[in-house]
Amino acid sequence: MKIHEQFLTALKSESRETFLLAMGHRLGVSAREIFAEDGPDSLRCARACNEVMIAIWSQLWASKEPSVQSYPDGEFLSILIDKADTGSARPYLRSAIESSLFFIRESGRPTS
Protein backbone atom coordinates (compact mmCIF):
# COMPACT_ATOMS: atom_id res chain seq x y z
CA MET A 1 0.00 0.00 0.00
CA LYS A 2 1.36 3.44 -0.94
CA ILE A 3 1.97 6.07 1.71
CA HIS A 4 -1.00 8.16 0.53
CA GLU A 5 -3.31 5.17 0.95
CA GLN A 6 -1.84 4.38 4.37
CA PHE A 7 -2.28 8.03 5.36
CA LEU A 8 -5.96 8.00 4.37
CA THR A 9 -6.53 4.66 6.07
CA ALA A 10 -5.07 6.03 9.32
CA LEU A 11 -7.27 9.14 9.11
CA LYS A 12 -10.38 7.00 8.66
CA SER A 13 -9.47 4.58 11.45
CA GLU A 14 -10.02 4.53 15.19
CA SER A 15 -6.34 5.58 15.44
CA ARG A 16 -6.97 8.96 13.78
CA GLU A 17 -6.29 10.98 16.92
CA THR A 18 -3.15 9.04 17.83
CA PHE A 19 -1.89 9.32 14.25
CA LEU A 20 -2.38 13.11 14.16
CA LEU A 21 -0.83 13.56 17.62
CA ALA A 22 2.20 11.47 16.65
CA MET A 23 2.70 13.41 13.40
CA GLY A 24 2.48 16.75 15.19
CA HIS A 25 4.92 15.61 17.85
CA ARG A 26 7.43 14.30 15.33
CA LEU A 27 7.29 17.52 13.32
CA GLY A 28 7.87 19.51 16.51
CA VAL A 29 10.96 17.47 17.24
CA SER A 30 12.13 17.99 13.66
CA ALA A 31 11.62 21.76 13.92
CA ARG A 32 13.73 21.82 17.09
CA GLU A 33 16.50 19.91 15.30
CA ILE A 34 16.28 22.26 12.30
CA PHE A 35 16.70 25.31 14.57
CA ALA A 36 19.74 23.66 16.18
CA GLU A 37 21.37 23.17 12.76
CA ASP A 38 21.40 26.93 12.17
CA GLY A 39 21.86 26.51 8.41
CA PRO A 40 21.06 29.13 5.77
CA ASP A 41 17.53 27.81 5.19
CA SER A 42 16.85 26.60 8.73
CA LEU A 43 14.36 29.31 9.63
CA ARG A 44 12.37 28.84 6.41
CA CYS A 45 12.30 25.07 6.89
CA ALA A 46 11.32 25.32 10.55
CA ARG A 47 8.54 27.75 9.66
CA ALA A 48 7.22 25.28 7.09
CA CYS A 49 7.24 22.54 9.75
CA ASN A 50 5.35 24.90 12.04
CA GLU A 51 2.70 25.57 9.37
CA VAL A 52 2.28 21.83 8.87
CA MET A 53 1.93 21.35 12.63
CA ILE A 54 -0.75 24.07 12.79
CA ALA A 55 -2.70 22.28 10.05
CA ILE A 56 -2.37 18.97 11.92
CA TRP A 57 -3.49 20.50 15.25
CA SER A 58 -6.40 22.19 13.46
CA GLN A 59 -7.43 18.88 11.93
CA LEU A 60 -7.23 17.22 15.33
CA TRP A 61 -9.23 20.02 16.94
CA ALA A 62 -11.90 19.71 14.25
CA SER A 63 -12.15 15.99 15.05
CA LYS A 64 -13.02 16.89 18.64
CA GLU A 65 -15.15 20.00 18.10
CA PRO A 66 -17.98 19.79 15.54
CA SER A 67 -18.16 23.58 15.16
CA VAL A 68 -14.55 23.72 13.88
CA GLN A 69 -14.15 23.24 10.15
CA SER A 70 -11.63 20.64 8.97
CA TYR A 71 -9.85 19.91 5.75
CA PRO A 72 -11.35 17.06 3.73
CA ASP A 73 -9.41 13.88 4.54
CA GLY A 74 -8.86 13.19 0.84
CA GLU A 75 -7.11 16.55 0.38
CA PHE A 76 -5.29 16.75 3.70
CA LEU A 77 -2.02 15.15 2.60
CA SER A 78 -1.78 17.45 -0.44
CA ILE A 79 -2.36 20.44 1.83
CA LEU A 80 0.40 19.29 4.19
CA ILE A 81 2.78 18.73 1.28
CA ASP A 82 2.07 22.22 -0.08
CA LYS A 83 2.79 23.74 3.32
CA ALA A 84 5.98 21.67 3.73
CA ASP A 85 7.19 22.67 0.27
CA THR A 86 7.18 26.37 1.22
CA GLY A 87 10.35 25.66 3.21
CA SER A 88 11.77 22.47 1.71
CA ALA A 89 10.42 20.52 4.68
CA ARG A 90 8.92 17.63 2.72
CA PRO A 91 11.52 15.11 4.00
CA TYR A 92 10.53 16.00 7.58
CA LEU A 93 6.85 15.58 6.75
CA ARG A 94 7.49 12.22 5.14
CA SER A 95 9.52 11.08 8.12
CA ALA A 96 6.75 12.20 10.50
CA ILE A 97 4.12 10.35 8.48
CA GLU A 98 6.14 7.16 8.17
CA SER A 99 7.13 7.05 11.84
CA SER A 100 3.55 7.80 12.93
CA LEU A 101 2.19 5.04 10.70
CA PHE A 102 4.81 2.69 12.13
CA PHE A 103 3.86 3.71 15.66
CA ILE A 104 0.16 2.99 15.28
CA ARG A 105 0.89 -0.26 13.45
CA GLU A 106 3.38 -1.51 16.04
CA SER A 107 1.29 -0.41 19.01
CA GLY A 108 -1.52 -2.65 17.80
CA ARG A 109 -3.89 0.27 17.32
CA PRO A 110 -6.62 -0.29 14.73
CA THR A 111 -5.93 1.19 11.30
CA SER A 112 -9.03 0.12 9.49
Side-chain angles (χ1 to χ4, degrees), residues 4-71:
H4 186 262
E5 294 165 340
Q6 293 175 46
F7 183 90
L8 283 174
T9 299
L11 287 180
K12 293 177 182 179
S13 74
E14 294 176 27
S15 296
R16 176 188 182 89
E17 182 177 333
T18 302
F19 177 62
L20 291 170
L21 286 168
M23 275 199 318
H25 170 75
R26 281 156 174 76
L27 278 163
V29 171
S30 291
R32 181 176 55 195
E33 291 171 359
I34 293 164
F35 277 123
E37 292 171 5
D38 199 28
D41 292 327
S42 294
L43 183 58
R44 192 168 62 92
C45 187
R47 282 183 178 150
C49 285
N50 186 60
E51 289 301 318
V52 173
M53 284 189 297
I54 290 168
I56 291 168
W57 299 140
S58 296
Q59 195 75 352
L60 180 60
W61 187 13
S63 296
K64 297 290 202 182
E65 182 61 48
S67 65
V68 176
Q69 192 172 14
S70 68
Y71 297 107

Side-chain angles (χ1 to χ4, degrees), residues 46-106:
R47 282 183 178 150
C49 285
N50 186 60
E51 289 301 318
V52 173
M53 284 189 297
I54 290 168
I56 291 168
W57 299 140
S58 296
Q59 195 75 352
L60 180 60
W61 187 13
S63 296
K64 297 290 202 182
E65 182 61 48
S67 65
V68 176
Q69 192 172 14
S70 68
Y71 297 107
D73 285 348
E75 298 173 23
F76 191 48
L77 181 57
S78 295
I79 290 164
L80 297 181
I81 290 169
D82 288 345
K83 291 179 180 299
D85 285 348
T86 64
S88 302
R90 191 183 292 206
Y92 298 101
L93 173 59
R94 183 174 185 97
S95 177
I97 292 168
E98 289 175 346
S99 63
S100 299
L101 288 168
F102 179 79
F103 174 75
I104 60 174
R105 197 170 40 246
E106 292 301 307

